[in-house]
Amino acid sequence: MDRMFRVLGFFTLAIGLMAFAGDLTEMALLFFLQTAFFVILGYMKFTERIYILLFWAYMFVTFTGFSYWTIFQMGLPL
């Protein structure tokens, strides 16, 4: 399971590099932070249960933040 977090780190790094090349600096920095988070978690040797709980917590925070941003920061079209 720890390898999966390293794979997630690889893909977030690729997305961050593409965002940086596309001049989307804020998005690139966000994905670089996620890359560091995933790579560090990938080398911590937790149990499979902890990795699953961490992934669910990450998904909860991500979807909550995305929903908040799209509803309150972007505004609803009227």
Side-chain angles (χ1 to χ4, degrees):
M1 191 64 145
D2 54 347
R3 282 191 194 158
M4 197 62 228
F5 276 89
R6 285 181 249 165
V7 170
L8 285 170
F10 171 76
F11 283 116
T12 54
L13 177 64
I15 293 169
L17 289 173
M18 286 187 285
F20 193 69
D23 215 19
L24 300 169
T25 310
E26 293 88 3
M27 180 181 165
L29 291 175
L30 180 66
F31 273 88
F32 291 150
L33 287 173
Q34 288 182 28
T35 298
F37 175 73
F38 285 139
V39 170
I40 289 169
L41 281 179
Y43 285 104
M44 292 188 88
K45 302 291 183 194
F46 288 131
T47 63
E48 187 171 349
R49 179 185 169 125
I50 296 297
Y51 277 122
I52 290 171
L53 290 173
L54 284 170
F55 184 71
W56 276 104
Y58 169 76
M59 287 285 104
F60 178 77
V61 169
T62 302
F63 289 140
T64 303
F66 180 77
S67 298
Y68 169 79
W69 187 264
T70 55
I71 293 171
F72 297 111
Q73 297 297 320
M74 291 177 66
L76 296 173
L78 298 176

